[in-house]
Amino acid sequence: LVYSDSNPLKRVLHADATLDSDGQPIRKKKVVVLGSGWSGYSFLNYLNNPNYDVQVVSPRNFFLFTPLLPSVTNGTVEARSIVEPIRGLMRKKGFEYKEAECVKIDPSNKKLHCRSKEGSSLKGTTEFDMDYDILVIAVGAKPNTFNTPGVEEHAYFLKEAEDALNIRHSVIDCFERASLPNLTEEERKKILHFVVVGGGPTGVEFSAELHDFLVQDVAKIYPKVQEFTRITLLEAGDHILNMFDKRITAFAEEKFQRDGIDLKTGSMVVGVTADEISTKERETGKIVSEPYGMVVWSTGIGSRPVIRDFMQQIGQGQRRVLATDEWLRVEGCEDVYALGDTATINQRRVMEDIAAIFSKADKGNTGTLNKKDFNGVVKDICQRYPQVELYLKKNKLKNIAHLLKSANGEDTQVNIENFKQALSEVDSQMKNLPATAQVASQQGKYLAKCFNKMEKCERKPEGPLRFRGEGRHRFQPFRYRHFGSFAPLGGEQTAAELPGDWVSIGHSSQWLWYSVYASKLVSWRTRMLVISDWTRRFVFGRDSSS
Ligand code: FAD
Ligand code: MG
Ligand code: MG
Ligand code: MG
Ligand code: MG
């Protein structure tokens, strides 16, 4: 088969024995993991292979449970409740942790250049170099400003725990400032104009949380200025939540309208100054500027500078996002893996491999495939090329045999031309996986499991298609399982889109969301803290001190 490079980890494995040829213990392989977010933490959590010396480098010494981050901005949940310190896991697993940022990856010398964070009490930074045998990149992504002038300086992002706290303080400061004497009505209106840029799940959820806060709490605490408040949500496209089902988008847009959130679609932000935000209306091309009190920027993610630089070095400079193969190996680079938001999987096309698939299935070398030949490879094809399954589902076909039948009448004897024709449309179903916690954590778990069974796999080398009679201990390519998406919309309502075209909106999905996230929180400690925050909020309302 063409995949002769198919054992991704074999070379690494060879040096992995604990004794060398003279019976002397050899140095353990050094695995360096960059990042302690969804993908990195999940990888570390599931990694159980004593043959590795594991070192973690991340500028934050905790895991952050991002789905609840928008709830921190208005005090529904405390920031401390949604972080999980990483030291506990490190001690339990015997891994080593360094609180620093990797600023340069040097793949040709297998070296990393790292720098400590500048703390509030510590002046200056410490720099150091590290080497690695295997590198796992899980550094996530950074907010994308699309180089819009003024955004870095004047807007708030919502990505890290500090961001959520900064937003919370700033919202409350706006209310305190607007409550001071000697301000004109215009000035109060400006200070209390909250602008959210980006109609994706985060921007929508933040707007909803802010609205809840204004309605449920501000009305009581700042009754005099409440009438001056306004929330504007700006979206460049035609609709908000455009990755969701149309029913959810429509529901959310209607709800926002009822709530009095000023939703402006087709408006692209072209600049932000200290006092004004300017948008270009797509239809008219007109530029409109409006005064604001606070801007929250949430328009998607881009690659971190250290990753951009790395991509240049390995010949991926033209790409938008770092590419890996289906085993999460970085393309064009040895012994480097990348997971989560940092990378996308460059899914292999069926058409590229069609001749090889055919000849592998055609056991007797007859030039045609019969039903039996075919059954022997169907499962492997579906495993190796997820787009096949998507295509069958979309066309309501039970399996590949049906696809061939529909392409070739009732005759199940197919030659290479029929085979090609039947599968010709399949690659059109290829889609990049979304940048979500669900994908990141599944990738972390997947890679850890591969690393855990390295030694077994070495004895029974892997092939990308699992053919009958071959060993079992092989690495299957990464497969994503979608458990559904949630979009909290405020007012205790959540929209849920679950597998099987099931859409549910309302209070029941709010509780579904609570329970899904409560059960996914990493530790009992975190779970307890979040549940007690929720309870406290129900009973006493939110804390409004900044
Ligand atoms: P991250 O989780 O971002 O982790 C990156 C890690 O790398 C961090 O520890 C960081 O400190 C570290 N790091 C950064 N730079 C360096 C460096 N140079 N060297 C070393 N370490 C570095 N997804 C869902 O599925 N459901 C949701 O409800 C949901 N809600 C979200 C809400 C918000 C507000 C946000 C911001 C995201 C949300 N997401 C959600 C998306 C989800 O958080 C991301 O997809 C996920 O965090 C990606 O995981 P990751 O491991 O790639 O990156
Ligand atoms: Mg991570
Ligand atoms: Mg995270
Ligand atoms: Mg990220
Ligand atoms: Mg990704």
Side-chain angles (χ1 to χ4, degrees):
L1 205 56
V2 278
Y3 322 104
S4 51
D5 67 331
S6 59
N7 185 351
L9 310 159
K10 193 169 169 193
R11 204 171 28 72
V12 169
L13 283 167
H14 267 298
D16 228 0
T18 40
L19 299 180
D20 67 12
S21 51
D22 303 325
Q24 295 298 310
I26 59 166
R27 189 178 69 92
K28 284 185 182 180
K29 287 253 150 206
K30 185 160 161 190
V31 178
V32 178
V33 180
L34 301 180
S36 56
W38 275 99
S39 57
Y41 197 84
S42 158
F43 174 75
L44 295 166
N45 192 36
Y46 287 99
L47 185 63
N48 284 314
N49 189 332
N51 295 325
Y52 294 120
D53 163 17
V54 180
Q55 311 241 351
V56 183
V57 177
S58 175
R60 59 171 208 223
N61 61 1
F62 53 83
F63 162 80
L64 173 67
F65 190 81
T66 50
L68 288 177
L69 202 52
S71 311
V72 174
T73 60
N74 66 6
T76 304
V77 171
E78 291 297 324
R80 234 167 291 143
S81 305
I82 61 165
V83 307
E84 184 66 31
I86 191 177
R87 285 285 179 189
L89 184 70
M90 297 292 99
R91 199 181 50 226
K92 194 169 108 197
K93 300 261 180 178
F95 300 161
E96 205 176 295
Y97 169 71
K98 294 188 174 68
E99 186 176 276
E101 206 178 346
C102 173
V103 289
K104 173 110 190 155
I105 301 170
D106 174 2
S108 42
N109 297 308
K110 292 194 151 186
K111 273 203 182 335
L112 305 169
H113 189 65
C114 305
R115 186 181 299 148
S116 71
K117 278 193 313 188
E118 196 156 3
S120 45
S121 51
L122 295 168
K123 289 276 172 313
T125 55
T126 308
E127 306 208 1
F128 58 95
D129 285 333
M130 274 176 94
D131 47 19
Y132 64 84
D133 297 309
I134 303 172
L135 179 63
V136 177
I137 305 179
V139 296
K142 70 174 183 53
N144 201 345
T145 66
F146 302 98
N147 296 322
T148 312
V151 175
E152 289 291 350
E153 299 88 322
H154 305 296
Y156 287 81
F157 298 116
L158 181 50
K159 195 83 177 63
E160 299 294 334
E162 295 103 288
D163 298 338
L165 291 175
N166 288 339
I167 289 176
R168 178 171 172 181
H169 293 162
S170 172
V171 169
I172 294 180
D173 282 347
C174 286
F175 279 99
E176 294 294 359
R177 214 149 29 98
S179 307
L180 292 175
N182 298 337
L183 290 175
T184 65
E185 198 165 294
E186 281 315 299
E187 284 167 322
R188 290 191 221 276
K189 273 188 179 156
K190 169 184 178 297
I191 297 170
L192 294 178
H193 182 206
F194 300 96
V195 182
V196 182
V197 185
T202 303
V204 166
E205 189 180 347
F206 172 70
S207 311
E209 290 280 357
L210 184 60
H211 172 264
D212 281 2
F213 180 61
L214 299 189
V215 171
Q216 296 166 1
D217 302 72
V218 167
K220 287 179 227 145
I221 312 167
Y222 305 95
K224 286 202 192 110
V225 295
Q226 203 225 350
E227 58 176 310
F228 303 116
T229 59
R230 179 153 71 101
I231 303 174
T232 303
L233 175 58
L234 301 171
E235 161 61 45
D238 289 333
H239 291 285
I240 57 170
L241 297 179
N242 59 18
M243 64 293 288
F244 280 85
D245 189 281
K246 282 199 188 66
R247 286 166 282 178
I248 291 180
T249 299
F251 179 89
E253 289 179 353
E254 250 164 58
K255 178 173 186 299
F256 277 11
Q257 195 148 31
R258 273 201 313 275
D259 288 349
I261 293 177
D262 198 356
L263 171 62
K264 289 190 177 137
T265 53
S267 330
M268 194 163 81
V269 176
V270 290
V272 184
T273 65
D275 306 296
E276 282 190 335
I277 180 162
S278 307
T279 51
K280 186 173 176 178
E281 284 172 19
R282 205 184 37 212
E283 264 165 27
T284 57
K286 223 172 54 192
I287 298 208
V288 194
S289 296
E290 273 209 86
Y292 71 84
M294 182 182 174
V295 172
V296 174
W297 189 269
S298 166
T299 59
I301 53 174
S303 299
R304 295 189 186 279
V306 59
I307 300 301
R308 283 244 66 90
D309 169 75
F310 173 59
M311 288 166 73
Q312 291 289 349
Q313 295 181 61
I314 59 169
Q316 290 200 23
Q318 301 302 314
R319 293 189 52 99
R320 212 173 50 81
V321 186
L322 181 67
T324 70
D325 65 13
E326 298 89 334
W327 287 267
L328 310 182
R329 296 177 290 178
V330 170
E331 294 191 335
C333 189
E334 299 272 317
D335 300 331
V336 183
Y337 298 79
L339 331 168
D341 288 359
T342 320
T344 57
I345 295 176
N346 205 355
Q347 179 62 48
R348 196 144 173 108
R349 288 167 188 278
V350 172
M351 278 306 132
E352 285 173 70
D353 300 337
I354 194 98
I357 297 170
F358 188 88
S359 68
K360 179 79 193 184
D362 183 14
K363 291 238 168 61
N365 245 334
T366 55
T368 58
L369 296 186
N370 60 28
K371 211 167 155 202
K372 199 163 145 258
D373 291 336
F374 201 68
N375 286 339
V377 287
V378 164
K379 218 174 123 207
D380 298 323
I381 293 177
C382 289
Q383 181 85 54
R384 179 70 179 82
Y385 308 94
Q387 61 266 43
V388 174
E389 232 166 28
L390 291 174
Y391 183 79
L392 295 175
K393 214 185 258 167
K394 197 176 151 221
N395 291 286
K396 302 204 164 55
L397 294 164
K398 262 213 205 99
N399 56 39
I400 289 197
H402 283 91
L403 175 65
L404 289 174
K405 248 189 206 166
S406 67
N408 198 31
E410 278 307 297
D411 191 2
T412 43
Q413 280 279 358
V414 296
N415 62 25
I416 178 99
E417 283 313 312
N418 307 138
F419 194 61
K420 263 190 198 162
Q421 208 195 339
L423 294 172
S424 61
E425 292 289 304
V426 165
D427 286 329
S428 66
Q429 289 304 307
M430 293 199 302
K431 261 198 281 195
N432 282 340
L433 294 175
T436 62
Q438 274 190 60
V439 172
S441 61
Q442 287 181 31
Q443 290 185 334
K445 183 172 176 183
Y446 161 83
L447 194 67
K449 290 194 159 174
C450 291
F451 275 54
N452 289 345
K453 58 181 187 181
M454 279 291 193
E455 290 78 12
K456 281 184 190 154
C457 289
E458 183 193 14
R459 273 180 265 125
K460 298 194 173 186
E462 164 250 18
L465 291 180
R466 202 187 69 205
F467 290 107
R468 235 162 244 182
E470 293 179 3
R472 221 178 258 152
H473 302 295
R474 283 181 257 186
F475 302 108
Q476 301 291 342
F478 172 72
R479 285 296 292 278
Y480 171 58
R481 245 175 253 110
H482 186 62
F483 293 116
S485 322
F486 297 89
L489 302 172
E492 305 297 312
Q493 303 209 61
T494 287
E497 191 177 340
L498 302 169
D501 200 30
W502 197 65
V503 168
S504 139
I505 303 167
H507 299 274
S508 57
S509 9
Q510 175 81 11
W511 283 103
L512 182 64
W513 181 80
Y514 279 179
S515 59
V516 164
Y517 281 124
S519 60
K520 285 229 170 119
L521 286 179
V522 280
S523 72
W524 279 103
R525 174 189 155 275
T526 310
R527 248 176 260 182
M528 285 292 300
L529 288 172
V530 169
I531 290 168
S532 81
D533 286 347
W534 280 337
T535 315
R536 185 174 40 75
R537 214 257 317 149
F538 276 119
V539 179
F540 301 109
R542 298 182 182 88
D543 172 7
S544 63
S545 58
S546 69

